[in-house]
Amino acid sequence: MSTPDGLPPLREVIRALGLAAKKSLGQNFLLDFNLTRRIARAAGPLEGATIVEIGPGPGGLTRALLLEGASRVIAVEKDERCLPALAAIAALYPGRLDIVAADARHVDYVALGPAQPSRIVANLPYSVGTPLLVGWLKTMPWPPWFDRLVLMFQREVAERIVAKPNTKDYGRLAVLSQWRTRTRILFTVPAEAFTPKPKVDSALVELIPRDTPEPACDVTALERVTAAAFGQRRKMLRSSLRQIAPDSEALLEKLGIDPKARAEDLPPAVFCRITNGLAG
Ligand code: SAM
């Protein structure tokens, strides 16, 4: 079977490398070029862009990104079994693919030297998708080094990222994501599209950094506030916030926020105001 780039089909690559999928590494591969090219186009325009790809695996999305015109891809992969497949792609696109054999949780992304504009595009491993996103959202300084995140998550996580107040999915992840970025689900991908097939569907999410998230506040302190508030999401704020603000009721009243409100009722900006109020 021929492929658009002339490299062997992914099934063959996987067989040749003996790449039995490891659940611990969240290995659910996308083998259909039409789908990976659709994801690449959704992250476009790619001309002139540096793409940091997390978890390229045998290289399906990597190949699509390069085919669709990415000037440079920096691919961060933890599983060394994938490296020969990635080296073959690098040989086909001289100077356009850098392979970083590392755990994406411990990479200093700025030190990788991504030229501007740069963005992160990935079919993320389920196991570490949320911590990776939270790490990127907490990037300092802000605006960050990336101009966009285009990321595949389990559908349930995708829905938590874009959730609005007063919905069951609204929580810490929505507050942090929507305060710092504009979020939307681009499209959903059925479980059948992955090999091996996971239990749940996935969705591709776009997050575009806001230049100046409003209101400004300290991101670490904001995390503390949302952890307390959503840790007891059905409780009124005056009681859920007591662990970090003994006089929470007075603080909320001073800020003009109803102490009887619940965390899930409030938009991201209100959590920033509480954070700033706590800082005095
Ligand atoms: N991009 C490929 C695709 O779309 O078919 C593979 C995606 S698969 C869902 C996730 C990939 O992330 C795997 O290749 C896995 O080895 C890699 N991975 C898992 N944990 C990682 C980590 N902490 N750092 C870097 N890569 C990781």
Side-chain angles (χ1 to χ4, degrees), residues 45-51 62 64-73 93 96-97:
L46 297 172
E47 288 77 14
T50 298
I51 307 298
T62 321
L65 288 163
L66 289 161
L67 266 170
E68 292 295 331
S71 299
R72 184 177 171 215
V73 176
Y93 295 96
R96 288 174 61 194
L97 173 60

Side-chain angles (χ1 to χ4, degrees), residues 7-275:
L7 287 169
L10 285 160
R11 274 186 205 287
E12 234 172 70
V13 173
I14 289 171
R15 205 173 26 245
L17 293 177
L19 200 58
K22 287 190 184 169
K23 206 171 172 183
S24 60
L25 287 173
Q27 291 184 333
N28 301 97
F29 302 123
L30 290 172
L31 306 184
D32 176 0
F33 259 114
N34 292 323
L35 178 55
T36 48
R37 292 182 81 169
R38 186 173 171 216
I39 296 169
R41 284 195 296 273
L46 297 172
E47 288 77 14
T50 298
I51 307 298
V52 175
E53 188 198 354
I54 308 304
L61 181 56
T62 321
R63 287 164 65 173
L65 288 163
L66 289 161
L67 266 170
E68 292 295 331
S71 299
R72 184 177 171 215
V73 176
I74 303 174
V76 181
E77 175 58 60
K78 187 175 172 187
D79 186 351
E80 298 201 343
R81 297 177 306 161
C82 301
L83 300 182
L86 299 172
I89 304 169
L92 184 68
Y93 295 96
R96 288 174 61 194
L97 173 60
D98 295 328
I99 303 155
V100 180
D103 186 324
R105 289 170 296 181
H106 309 306
V107 166
D108 177 351
Y109 291 93
V110 175
L112 293 179
Q116 297 304 318
S118 51
R119 66 194 63 132
I120 305 178
V121 181
N123 172 19
L124 287 174
Y126 287 168
S127 41
V128 293
T130 308
L132 283 172
L133 173 62
V134 169
W136 295 323
L137 289 171
K138 289 170 78 175
T139 297
M140 290 299 288
W142 196 273
W145 55 271
F146 48 85
D147 71 0
R148 209 183 321 165
L149 303 170
V150 178
L151 305 171
M152 183 86 76
F153 290 98
Q154 284 168 274
R155 188 169 179 171
E156 166 251 326
V157 177
E159 275 164 5
R160 279 169 43 213
I161 293 168
V162 304
K164 296 296 167 207
N166 298 308
T167 64
K168 71 172 176 29
D169 292 324
Y170 186 67
R172 294 174 66 184
L173 195 56
V175 170
L176 181 61
S177 302
Q178 294 173 37
W179 170 58
R180 281 205 143 170
T181 70
R182 286 182 283 120
T183 66
R184 65 180 174 136
I185 290 181
L186 296 174
F187 53 84
T188 56
V189 178
E192 293 71 33
F194 298 84
T195 304
K197 181 183 159 196
K199 288 200 179 70
V200 292
D201 292 343
S202 290
L204 192 68
V205 183
E206 176 188 79
L207 301 100
I208 299 182
R210 299 181 192 277
D211 285 342
T212 47
E214 295 284 346
C217 79
D218 178 83
V219 67
T220 307
L222 173 65
E223 283 267 281
R224 234 180 355 257
V225 169
T226 56
F230 287 100
Q232 300 172 298
R233 59 185 291 136
R234 295 302 306 154
K235 285 203 172 162
M236 295 176 196
L237 276 186
R238 65 179 177 199
S239 84
S240 59
L241 291 183
R242 209 166 282 143
Q243 50 178 301
I244 53 168
D247 205 357
S248 54
E249 182 149 10
L251 172 73
L252 291 165
E253 270 168 0
K254 192 173 122 203
L255 296 171
I257 299 164
D258 179 1
K260 293 193 191 126
R262 292 179 170 78
E264 61 193 26
D265 302 330
L266 305 171
V270 172
F271 292 97
C272 298
R273 283 174 47 216
I274 296 171
T275 304

